[in-house]
Every structure is written in C-alpha cells, then in structure tokens.
Amino acid sequence: MSNVIDYGLPDVFICELTKIEPLGTNNRRLVFTVPSPEFPDQRQIVARIIVPTDYLVTLGALILGHNGASPSTQYLAAFDPAGEPN
C-alpha cells in the first residue's frame, strides 16, 4: 500500500452496520452506529461511508475471507436495510 496517502483522519469505533441507503443507482451509503450512552434503547450514528454498489460484494468477500470466520449473528441482527433492492 505504498500509494495510499494518510490524511490523518481520526479512527472511529463502530458497533453495528445499521443501515444501507441507496444513493442513485450505483452507490450505497453505509450507516454505522454505537449504542447511545444516554438512551440505551437508541443508537448514535458515528460514520457514514458511501461506496459503489458493485464494490459491496468485494467488500463482503474481503471481510469474510480475512480470518475465515463467519460474521457474528448478534451484529447481523441489528442490520436494517433501507429502500428496495435494485
């Protein structure tokens, strides 16, 4: 990764991928949250990342193939898709 430039952005801790929002026909916004310390039944958005739709399959394969383990169902249970699939 010698051609990657680090702009010094802060790291953000996330607990859940809460929502995937469609943006046009070729992009999706991934919304990440953490439990709210003030309101235990609510979540706070801590990051929104926009990715090309075609990259989502690659991203999933990279995540699942990293250590060969299956994702934890406790995190998948929090997932809430938004909008109709294309």
XYZ file of all heavy atoms in Angstrom:
660
model
N 0.815 -1.192 0.000
C 0.000 0.000 0.000
C 0.859 1.256 0.000
O 0.550 2.221 0.677
C -0.913 0.005 1.218
C -2.082 -0.925 1.124
S -3.534 -0.171 1.854
C -3.657 -0.983 3.378
N 1.876 1.268 -0.744
C 2.767 2.424 -0.756
C 2.147 3.632 -1.447
O 2.608 4.746 -1.262
C 4.086 2.055 -1.435
O 3.835 1.660 -2.767
N 1.091 3.438 -2.230
C 0.464 4.568 -2.914
C -0.756 5.114 -2.168
O -1.544 5.857 -2.725
C 0.072 4.177 -4.338
C -0.918 3.026 -4.363
O -1.160 2.374 -3.354
N -1.469 2.760 -5.520
N -0.917 4.782 -0.895
C -2.032 5.277 -0.083
C -1.552 6.476 0.729
O -0.527 6.420 1.392
C -2.568 4.182 0.866
C -3.632 4.740 1.789
C -3.115 3.014 0.061
N -2.309 7.567 0.663
C -1.966 8.778 1.405
C -2.817 8.838 2.664
O -4.038 8.735 2.605
C -2.206 10.035 0.546
C -1.328 9.986 -0.708
C -1.929 11.298 1.355
C -1.671 11.057 -1.724
N -2.180 9.006 3.801
C -2.892 9.127 5.075
C -3.070 10.603 5.388
O -2.108 11.317 5.638
C -2.102 8.437 6.184
C -2.827 8.446 7.519
O -3.868 9.127 7.636
O -2.357 7.773 8.443
N -4.315 11.060 5.383
C -4.612 12.462 5.661
C -4.806 12.735 7.146
O -5.212 13.817 7.537
C -5.853 12.921 4.882
C -5.592 13.084 3.407
C -6.065 12.148 2.510
C -4.872 14.179 2.934
C -5.822 12.303 1.142
C -4.631 14.336 1.583
C -5.108 13.396 0.691
O -4.868 13.540 -0.648
N -4.547 11.742 7.987
C -4.643 11.937 9.425
C -6.066 11.973 9.952
O -6.340 12.610 10.965
N -6.981 11.289 9.266
C -8.357 11.238 9.751
C -8.424 10.410 11.029
O -7.697 9.426 11.170
C -9.267 10.612 8.691
C -9.365 11.365 7.370
C -10.173 10.570 6.363
C -9.985 12.727 7.586
N -9.288 10.765 11.953
C -9.366 10.007 13.202
C -10.025 8.646 12.988
O -10.869 8.478 12.109
C -10.237 10.892 14.101
C -11.071 11.676 13.148
C -10.210 11.904 11.933
N -9.624 7.671 13.787
C -10.297 6.382 13.796
C -11.641 6.549 14.488
O -11.794 7.378 15.388
C -9.480 5.340 14.562
C -8.195 4.972 13.839
O -8.109 5.190 12.614
O -7.284 4.451 14.499
N -12.623 5.765 14.065
C -13.958 5.824 14.652
C -14.348 4.413 15.069
O -14.281 3.485 14.268
C -14.990 6.371 13.645
C -16.390 6.352 14.227
C -14.617 7.771 13.198
N -14.749 4.250 16.324
C -15.215 2.962 16.811
C -16.679 2.789 16.422
O -17.494 3.699 16.604
C -15.079 2.877 18.336
C -15.575 1.582 18.890
C -14.793 0.445 18.821
C -16.828 1.487 19.446
C -15.238 -0.769 19.307
C -17.306 0.281 19.951
C -16.503 -0.845 19.873
N -17.007 1.619 15.853
C -18.395 1.327 15.494
C -18.801 -0.002 16.109
O -17.959 -0.839 16.416
C -18.595 1.264 13.968
C -17.762 0.135 13.371
C -18.260 2.576 13.322
C -18.148 -0.243 11.993
N -20.092 -0.175 16.317
C -20.631 -1.439 16.828
C -21.479 -2.157 15.792
O -21.529 -3.370 15.788
C -21.474 -1.198 18.073
S -20.525 -0.700 19.492
N -22.150 -1.394 14.943
C -23.117 -2.003 14.033
C -23.141 -1.292 12.690
O -23.003 -0.076 12.626
C -24.530 -1.907 14.619
C -24.694 -2.545 15.954
C -26.002 -2.143 16.633
O -26.616 -1.135 16.242
O -26.393 -2.852 17.564
N -23.346 -2.088 11.643
C -23.767 -1.539 10.359
C -25.283 -1.524 10.443
O -25.940 -2.565 10.406
C -23.293 -2.407 9.195
C -23.860 -2.062 7.820
C -23.562 -0.620 7.437
C -23.348 -3.019 6.782
N -25.864 -0.357 10.651
C -27.279 -0.230 10.963
C -28.161 -0.124 9.726
O -29.278 -0.607 9.713
C -27.506 0.994 11.859
O -26.708 0.829 13.025
C -28.945 1.142 12.274
N -27.647 0.497 8.687
C -28.496 0.750 7.526
C -27.644 0.856 6.274
O -26.505 1.320 6.324
C -29.261 2.057 7.746
C -30.353 2.335 6.748
C -31.011 3.684 6.989
C -31.755 3.697 8.304
N -32.536 4.939 8.487
N -28.204 0.431 5.149
C -27.614 0.672 3.833
C -28.647 1.436 3.031
O -29.747 0.942 2.791
C -27.226 -0.638 3.121
C -26.159 -1.373 3.921
C -26.737 -0.339 1.703
C -25.742 -2.697 3.324
N -28.296 2.665 2.655
C -29.226 3.540 1.939
C -28.816 3.636 0.473
O -27.643 3.860 0.179
C -29.213 4.938 2.552
C -29.594 4.973 4.012
C -29.388 6.327 4.653
O -28.638 7.173 4.114
O -29.983 6.543 5.720
N -29.774 3.483 -0.451
C -29.443 3.656 -1.860
C -29.186 5.128 -2.182
O -29.885 6.007 -1.686
C -30.684 3.140 -2.587
C -31.784 3.163 -1.589
C -31.164 3.113 -0.220
N -28.169 5.375 -2.976
C -27.872 6.723 -3.481
C -27.798 6.617 -5.000
O -26.786 6.180 -5.546
C -26.553 7.254 -2.927
C -26.502 7.540 -1.438
C -25.100 7.965 -1.028
C -27.495 8.623 -1.070
N -28.873 6.946 -5.657
C -28.921 6.751 -7.099
C -28.943 5.269 -7.421
O -29.402 4.448 -6.627
N -28.427 4.912 -8.585
C -28.430 3.502 -8.980
C -27.098 2.807 -8.760
O -27.031 1.591 -8.798
C -28.808 3.366 -10.467
O -27.884 4.137 -11.245
C -30.214 3.849 -10.727
N -26.038 3.577 -8.514
C -24.713 2.966 -8.463
C -23.976 3.104 -7.139
O -22.831 2.665 -7.031
C -23.829 3.554 -9.574
C -24.380 3.232 -10.943
O -24.827 2.119 -11.184
N -24.366 4.207 -11.827
N -24.583 3.715 -6.137
C -23.898 3.923 -4.866
C -24.799 3.573 -3.689
O -26.019 3.621 -3.794
C -23.435 5.379 -4.728
C -22.418 5.750 -5.770
O -21.339 5.194 -5.816
N -22.775 6.688 -6.636
N -24.152 3.256 -2.573
C -24.865 2.996 -1.330
C -24.164 3.731 -0.195
O -22.942 3.852 -0.177
C -24.892 1.499 -0.993
C -25.632 0.639 -2.008
C -27.110 0.961 -2.027
N -27.852 0.135 -2.952
C -28.178 0.472 -4.185
N -27.800 1.649 -4.666
N -28.875 -0.329 -4.943
N -24.963 4.212 0.765
C -24.414 4.838 1.966
C -24.521 3.822 3.096
O -25.607 3.374 3.449
C -25.180 6.098 2.337
C -24.632 6.763 3.611
C -25.493 7.922 4.094
N -25.478 9.019 3.143
C -26.564 9.557 2.595
N -27.756 9.105 2.882
N -26.471 10.559 1.752
N -23.370 3.457 3.678
C -23.336 2.547 4.819
C -23.376 3.399 6.079
O -22.540 4.280 6.260
C -22.067 1.700 4.801
C -21.763 0.950 3.497
C -20.461 0.165 3.638
C -22.910 0.072 3.084
N -24.342 3.146 6.951
C -24.526 3.933 8.173
C -24.136 3.057 9.366
O -24.721 1.999 9.587
C -25.982 4.413 8.321
C -26.147 5.232 9.595
C -26.396 5.242 7.095
N -23.133 3.506 10.109
C -22.608 2.771 11.257
C -22.989 3.474 12.554
O -22.978 4.705 12.619
C -21.084 2.671 11.168
C -20.609 1.878 9.980
C -20.318 2.500 8.780
C -20.468 0.502 10.071
C -19.877 1.782 7.693
C -20.028 -0.230 8.982
C -19.736 0.410 7.785
N -23.301 2.682 13.582
C -23.759 3.253 14.845
C -23.086 2.598 16.048
O -22.444 1.561 15.928
C -25.284 3.072 15.011
O -25.576 1.682 15.016
C -26.058 3.767 13.914
N -23.279 3.243 17.197
C -22.921 2.697 18.516
C -24.126 2.917 19.426
O -24.940 3.806 19.178
C -21.671 3.372 19.131
C -20.435 3.122 18.297
C -21.887 4.848 19.346
N -24.269 2.117 20.486
C -25.356 2.369 21.440
C -25.188 3.744 22.085
O -24.079 4.175 22.380
C -25.190 1.261 22.479
C -24.406 0.203 21.799
C -23.517 0.911 20.826
N -26.296 4.418 22.306
C -26.268 5.721 22.946
C -26.043 5.550 24.448
O -26.774 4.805 25.099
C -27.597 6.444 22.716
O -27.656 7.616 23.505
N -25.051 6.242 25.022
C -24.832 6.140 26.460
C -25.952 6.781 27.270
O -26.220 6.378 28.396
C -23.506 6.858 26.693
C -23.246 7.667 25.484
C -24.043 7.075 24.362
N -26.629 7.760 26.678
C -27.701 8.460 27.392
C -29.042 7.747 27.295
O -29.856 7.808 28.216
C -27.852 9.874 26.840
C -26.620 10.737 27.030
C -26.772 12.089 26.355
O -27.911 12.583 26.240
O -25.750 12.638 25.929
N -29.283 7.086 26.155
C -30.566 6.431 25.901
C -30.288 5.007 25.427
O -30.077 4.786 24.231
C -31.367 7.206 24.853
C -31.553 8.653 25.195
C -30.769 9.634 24.603
C -32.503 9.037 26.134
C -30.925 10.974 24.912
C -32.676 10.376 26.455
C -31.881 11.343 25.853
N -30.276 4.034 26.318
C -29.874 2.660 25.989
C -30.668 2.005 24.849
O -30.153 1.115 24.186
C -30.092 1.898 27.293
C -30.078 2.932 28.350
C -30.605 4.184 27.722
N -31.888 2.450 24.604
C -32.689 1.856 23.539
C -32.469 2.529 22.185
O -33.131 2.190 21.208
C -34.172 1.887 23.904
C -34.682 3.307 24.135
O -33.876 4.167 24.535
O -35.887 3.537 23.929
N -31.538 3.486 22.113
C -31.250 4.182 20.865
C -29.795 3.988 20.465
O -28.954 3.622 21.276
C -31.547 5.677 21.011
C -33.002 5.972 21.255
C -33.252 7.475 21.357
O -32.374 8.292 21.126
N -34.480 7.834 21.694
N -29.521 4.249 19.173
C -28.156 4.175 18.654
C -27.765 5.534 18.087
O -28.609 6.260 17.579
C -28.065 3.107 17.569
C -28.390 1.716 18.095
C -28.332 0.706 16.988
N -29.418 0.934 16.040
C -30.168 -0.009 15.514
N -29.969 -1.251 15.841
N -31.108 0.279 14.662
N -26.473 5.848 18.170
C -25.959 7.097 17.610
C -25.171 6.790 16.348
O -24.340 5.871 16.339
C -25.028 7.799 18.604
C -25.717 8.302 19.841
C -24.735 8.952 20.812
O -23.574 8.583 20.863
N -25.214 9.903 21.575
N -25.399 7.568 15.295
C -24.623 7.422 14.066
C -23.238 7.989 14.302
O -23.093 9.113 14.781
C -25.320 8.139 12.895
C -26.647 7.458 12.585
C -24.412 8.164 11.668
C -27.486 8.187 11.563
N -22.210 7.198 13.978
C -20.835 7.657 14.150
C -20.072 7.740 12.828
O -19.021 8.376 12.765
C -20.053 6.767 15.145
C -20.596 6.941 16.556
C -20.084 5.310 14.740
N -20.601 7.098 11.777
C -19.927 7.169 10.477
C -20.909 6.861 9.361
O -21.793 6.017 9.516
C -18.764 6.191 10.426
N -20.741 7.560 8.254
C -21.474 7.287 7.019
C -20.429 7.184 5.916
O -19.646 8.114 5.714
C -22.447 8.411 6.698
C -23.598 8.543 7.651
C -24.528 9.677 7.175
N -25.612 9.887 8.090
C -25.677 10.893 8.962
N -24.711 11.786 9.019
N -26.700 11.017 9.765
N -20.443 6.062 5.216
C -19.464 5.833 4.154
C -20.213 5.533 2.867
O -21.098 4.675 2.853
C -18.523 4.667 4.507
C -17.785 4.970 5.809
C -17.546 4.392 3.370
C -16.975 3.821 6.341
N -19.871 6.217 1.799
C -20.503 5.991 0.503
C -19.581 5.114 -0.334
O -18.388 5.425 -0.483
C -20.803 7.322 -0.207
C -21.782 8.139 0.643
C -21.358 7.077 -1.611
C -21.984 9.558 0.176
N -20.141 4.021 -0.867
C -19.353 3.094 -1.683
C -20.136 2.766 -2.959
O -21.370 2.774 -2.955
C -19.023 1.789 -0.924
C -18.145 2.057 0.268
C -20.261 1.056 -0.506
N -19.416 2.455 -4.047
C -20.104 1.992 -5.258
C -20.807 0.661 -4.970
O -20.273 -0.196 -4.258
C -18.974 1.795 -6.267
C -17.818 2.565 -5.726
C -17.987 2.581 -4.239
N -21.999 0.487 -5.515
C -22.770 -0.734 -5.295
C -21.977 -1.972 -5.684
O -21.991 -2.977 -4.971
C -24.088 -0.672 -6.095
O -24.791 0.504 -5.706
C -24.952 -1.881 -5.844
N -21.274 -1.921 -6.796
C -20.504 -3.079 -7.255
C -19.422 -3.487 -6.264
O -19.003 -4.639 -6.245
C -19.848 -2.790 -8.603
C -20.872 -2.618 -9.717
O -22.038 -3.016 -9.518
O -20.495 -2.088 -10.768
N -18.952 -2.561 -5.447
C -17.877 -2.862 -4.506
C -18.371 -3.592 -3.258
O -17.586 -4.205 -2.544
C -17.147 -1.580 -4.100
C -15.928 -1.840 -3.251
C -14.819 -2.450 -3.799
C -15.902 -1.499 -1.909
C -13.694 -2.720 -3.018
C -14.791 -1.754 -1.122
C -13.689 -2.363 -1.691
O -12.593 -2.628 -0.925
N -19.674 -3.578 -2.990
C -20.195 -4.215 -1.786
C -19.904 -5.713 -1.747
O -19.587 -6.265 -0.695
C -21.696 -3.955 -1.643
C -22.082 -2.515 -1.333
C -23.585 -2.361 -1.342
C -21.498 -2.066 -0.008
N -19.987 -6.390 -2.877
C -19.680 -7.819 -2.925
C -18.207 -8.045 -2.612
O -17.852 -8.916 -1.820
C -20.060 -8.417 -4.294
C -19.582 -9.853 -4.411
C -21.554 -8.326 -4.509
N -17.346 -7.239 -3.198
C -15.911 -7.341 -2.926
C -15.616 -7.062 -1.459
O -14.843 -7.778 -0.820
C -15.123 -6.350 -3.817
O -15.410 -6.646 -5.178
C -13.641 -6.434 -3.559
N -16.254 -6.034 -0.912
C -16.053 -5.676 0.487
C -16.460 -6.831 1.404
O -15.737 -7.191 2.334
C -16.851 -4.415 0.814
C -16.736 -3.854 2.220
C -15.299 -3.474 2.535
C -17.642 -2.648 2.367
N -17.611 -7.423 1.149
C -18.062 -8.565 1.951
C -17.107 -9.743 1.861
O -16.795 -10.387 2.868
N -16.613 -10.028 0.670
C -15.673 -11.133 0.496
C -14.362 -10.871 1.223
O -13.794 -11.772 1.839
C -15.398 -11.367 -0.991
N -13.902 -9.632 1.190
C -12.672 -9.278 1.905
C -12.851 -9.443 3.412
O -11.977 -9.959 4.108
C -12.253 -7.838 1.588
C -11.718 -7.588 0.193
C -11.591 -6.092 -0.071
C -10.381 -8.274 0.011
N -13.997 -9.013 3.927
C -14.253 -9.115 5.366
C -14.361 -10.572 5.789
O -13.740 -11.001 6.762
C -15.530 -8.333 5.744
C -15.287 -6.827 5.585
C -15.964 -8.664 7.170
C -16.542 -5.986 5.668
N -15.147 -11.359 5.074
C -15.337 -12.761 5.450
C -14.083 -13.598 5.220
O -13.834 -14.541 5.953
C -16.508 -13.360 4.683
C -17.878 -12.833 5.078
C -18.945 -13.427 4.173
C -18.175 -13.153 6.530
N -13.293 -13.248 4.225
C -12.101 -14.020 3.922
C -10.892 -13.656 4.752
O -9.876 -14.336 4.714
N -11.001 -12.591 5.531
C -9.844 -12.120 6.292
C -9.349 -13.161 7.282
O -8.162 -13.420 7.380
C -10.180 -10.813 7.004
C -9.031 -10.248 7.774
N -7.899 -9.777 7.152
C -8.824 -10.105 9.098
C -7.043 -9.360 8.070
N -7.587 -9.548 9.252
N -10.258 -13.775 8.040
C -9.815 -14.785 9.000
C -10.577 -16.095 8.851
O -10.437 -16.981 9.677
C -9.936 -14.263 10.435
C -11.365 -13.966 10.822
O -12.276 -14.210 10.058
N -11.563 -13.458 12.020
N -11.402 -16.209 7.813
C -12.119 -17.443 7.545
C -13.310 -17.694 8.452
O -13.963 -18.722 8.359
N -13.624 -16.764 9.343
C -14.732 -16.950 10.283
C -16.019 -16.377 9.713
O -15.997 -15.488 8.871
C -14.417 -16.277 11.612
N -17.132 -16.877 10.185
C -18.432 -16.334 9.812
C -18.728 -15.112 10.673
O -18.272 -15.037 11.812
C -19.521 -17.376 10.030
O -19.318 -18.461 9.166
N -19.521 -14.164 10.149
C -19.860 -12.991 10.964
C -20.739 -13.372 12.146
O -21.496 -14.338 12.089
C -20.610 -12.086 9.995
C -21.102 -12.999 8.936
C -20.129 -14.124 8.838
N -20.637 -12.641 13.194
C -21.439 -12.877 14.397
C -22.887 -12.505 14.131
O -23.176 -11.439 13.602
C -20.896 -12.040 15.552
O -21.790 -12.073 16.632
N -23.817 -13.364 14.501
C -25.231 -13.080 14.274
C -25.724 -11.921 15.129
O -26.692 -11.266 14.776
C -26.097 -14.320 14.547
O -25.833 -14.769 15.880
C -25.793 -15.421 13.563
N -25.063 -11.629 16.238
C -25.509 -10.509 17.060
C -25.368 -9.191 16.317
O -26.127 -8.262 16.533
C -24.766 -10.449 18.389
C -23.334 -9.934 18.267
C -22.601 -9.949 19.591
O -22.670 -10.917 20.324
N -21.901 -8.898 19.875
N -24.384 -9.080 15.431
C -24.224 -7.854 14.661
C -25.134 -7.842 13.440
O -25.650 -6.812 13.056
C -22.774 -7.665 14.250
C -21.867 -7.529 15.441
C -20.867 -8.446 15.695
C -22.036 -6.488 16.337
C -20.053 -8.331 16.813
C -21.233 -6.358 17.454
C -20.247 -7.285 17.679
O -19.456 -7.167 18.781
N -25.352 -8.989 12.827
C -26.234 -9.043 11.677
C -27.675 -8.776 12.071
O -28.445 -8.240 11.302
C -26.125 -10.413 10.993
C -24.789 -10.714 10.333
C -24.818 -12.116 9.743
C -24.455 -9.697 9.274
N -28.056 -9.107 13.293
C -29.427 -8.900 13.755
C -29.775 -7.417 13.821
O -30.941 -7.051 13.735
C -29.620 -9.536 15.126
N -28.792 -6.546 13.950
C -29.042 -5.105 14.061
C -29.203 -4.449 12.690
O -29.572 -3.301 12.597
C -27.900 -4.433 14.818
N -28.946 -5.195 11.632
C -28.968 -4.641 10.288
C -30.388 -4.297 9.865
O -31.312 -5.072 10.042
C -28.350 -5.639 9.316
C -28.360 -5.187 7.895
C -27.515 -4.176 7.488
C -29.208 -5.750 6.976
C -27.522 -3.746 6.175
C -29.224 -5.332 5.685
C -28.371 -4.333 5.278
N -30.561 -3.124 9.283
C -31.865 -2.663 8.839
C -31.731 -2.100 7.432
O -31.357 -0.942 7.268
C -32.392 -1.592 9.794
C -33.734 -1.031 9.377
O -34.482 -1.735 8.683
O -34.034 0.101 9.770
N -31.974 -2.910 6.363
C -31.825 -2.377 5.012
C -32.841 -1.281 4.726
O -33.953 -1.317 5.241
C -32.057 -3.599 4.110
C -32.804 -4.563 4.956
C -32.444 -4.270 6.401
N -32.452 -0.321 3.921
C -33.350 0.791 3.569
C -33.586 0.766 2.069
O -32.670 0.581 1.281
C -32.725 2.118 3.961
N -34.813 0.944 1.677
C -35.130 1.019 0.262
C -35.277 -0.346 -0.376
O -34.987 -1.370 0.208
N -35.720 -0.340 -1.607
C -35.910 -1.562 -2.373
C -34.615 -1.936 -3.077
O -33.882 -1.076 -3.542
C -37.008 -1.356 -3.429
C -38.378 -1.142 -2.823
C -38.863 -2.365 -2.065
O -38.723 -3.493 -2.575
O -39.394 -2.193 -0.951
N -34.293 -3.236 -3.161
C -33.096 -3.636 -3.895
C -33.233 -3.327 -5.377
O -34.349 -3.346 -5.917
C -33.005 -5.142 -3.652
C -34.338 -5.563 -3.169
C -35.025 -4.348 -2.613
N -32.117 -3.043 -6.023
C -32.149 -2.762 -7.473
C -32.077 -4.033 -8.250
O -31.489 -4.960 -7.948
C -30.980 -1.857 -7.868
C -31.170 -0.453 -7.349
O -32.284 -0.065 -7.026
N -30.106 0.297 -7.257
